[in-house]
């Protein structure tokens, strides 16, 4: 029998004021009805996508997250552009600059996963917030007022699918250093 697996990724969830600010900016700047919009309550920033992980290895992933609990200083990402990425057909918010602590944090996460026998992403990390999928052509894009996203914690998230699309549920959350 094949072992059950879980589709996992590490992510940042916005706090309530940040989510409000992002949604307000989207209402002002984005044309309606493009592609399949990310549900507002599911807007997140992926730090590291693991994909399908056998159920029996979930604890190792949790251990990788726990190993970084409270170790990285808090940081703030400033989203300042809306970009259309042609190949994945997504529309996303991006940041011109990746804060050093964020880059270091993603590197540390990858090292913890590698040390436990996972195969982390090798491509450089690019902070982005997917707003809509299945966007084939770039819509007219207005310039964006810089949107600060303060990060004080990180989460392990599970992606499940139902007829209306992907659902993201938090399995565990750890703090960054205060
Ligand atoms: P995205 O916003 O860049 O598409 C759950 O699927 C999350 O993991 C998505 O938000 C997605 O980020 C991210 N992810 C990264 N690599 C992925 C991949 N190869 N397949 C599916 N999702 C991926």
């Amino acid at each position: 029998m094949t072992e059950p697996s879980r589709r996992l990724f590490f992510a940042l969830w916005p706090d309530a004021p940040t989510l409000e600010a992002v949604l307000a900016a989207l209402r002002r700047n984005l044309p309606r009805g493009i592609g399949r919009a990310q549900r507002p309550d599911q807007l997140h920033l992926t730090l590291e996508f693991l994909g399908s992980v056998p159920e029996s290895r979930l604890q190792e992933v949790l251990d990788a997250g726990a190993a970084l609990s409270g170790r990285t200083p808090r940081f703030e990402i400033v989203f300042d552009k809306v970009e259309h990425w042609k190949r994945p057909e997504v529309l996303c918010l991006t940041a011109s600059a990746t804060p050093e602590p964020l880059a270091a944090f993603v590197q540390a996460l990858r090292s913890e996963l590698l040390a436990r026998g996972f195969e982390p992403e090798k491509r450089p990390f690019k902070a982005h917030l997917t707003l809509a999928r299945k966007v084939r052509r770039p819509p007219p894009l207005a310039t964006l007022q810089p949107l600060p996203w303060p990060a004080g914690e990180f989460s392990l998230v599970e992606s499940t699918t139902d007829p209306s699309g992907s659902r993201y549920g938090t399995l565990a959350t750890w703090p960054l250093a205060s």
Side-chain angles (χ1 to χ4, degrees):
M1 212 173 76
T2 38
E3 191 186 343
S5 62
R6 320 273 292 257
R7 194 172 164 81
L8 304 177
F9 60 101
F10 284 95
L12 301 178
W13 289 110
D15 60 23
T18 304
L19 178 59
E20 248 339 288
V22 171
L23 295 176
L26 299 186
R27 280 194 294 272
R28 280 195 303 272
N29 293 288
L30 273 193
R32 270 168 224 288
I34 36 156
R36 189 153 47 75
Q38 182 79 276
R39 276 175 37 155
D41 63 337
Q42 306 264 289
L43 277 170
H44 63 276
L45 188 159
T46 302
L47 296 166
E48 175 72 13
F49 178 76
L50 287 106
S52 184
V53 172
E55 180 90 45
S56 60
R57 300 197 68 194
L58 174 60
Q59 188 56 50
E60 292 169 77
V61 182
L62 288 164
D63 290 347
L68 296 176
S69 179
R71 277 188 33 199
T72 299
R74 285 158 183 260
F75 50 81
E76 184 176 88
I77 307 157
V78 179
F79 288 103
D80 55 2
K81 284 190 289 187
V82 183
E83 284 184 42
H84 176 251
W85 290 353
K86 206 167 163 191
R87 259 247 294 231
E89 298 186 332
V90 294
L91 194 68
C92 44
L93 284 184
T94 57
S96 301
T98 304
E100 221 299 299
L102 169 58
F105 181 68
V106 171
Q107 212 37 60
L109 202 46
R110 290 178 177 181
S111 300
E112 292 294 340
L113 291 166
L114 193 63
R116 290 169 175 80
F118 294 94
E119 284 185 30
E121 176 65 76
K122 292 190 188 67
R123 292 174 296 181
F125 173 72
K126 170 98 175 111
H128 65 281
L129 183 65
T130 299
L131 305 173
R133 299 181 197 277
K134 300 198 187 303
V135 181
R136 304 235 149 75
R137 274 180 214 92
L141 298 174
T143 40
L144 192 75
Q145 292 281 359
L147 264 172
W149 173 308
E153 57 185 33
F154 66 102
S155 299
L156 178 66
V157 182
E158 176 169 20
S159 167
T160 51
T161 323
D162 71 18
S164 59
S166 296
R167 288 273 177 280
Y168 306 125
T170 303
L171 298 182
T173 295
W174 301 271
L176 299 176
S178 42

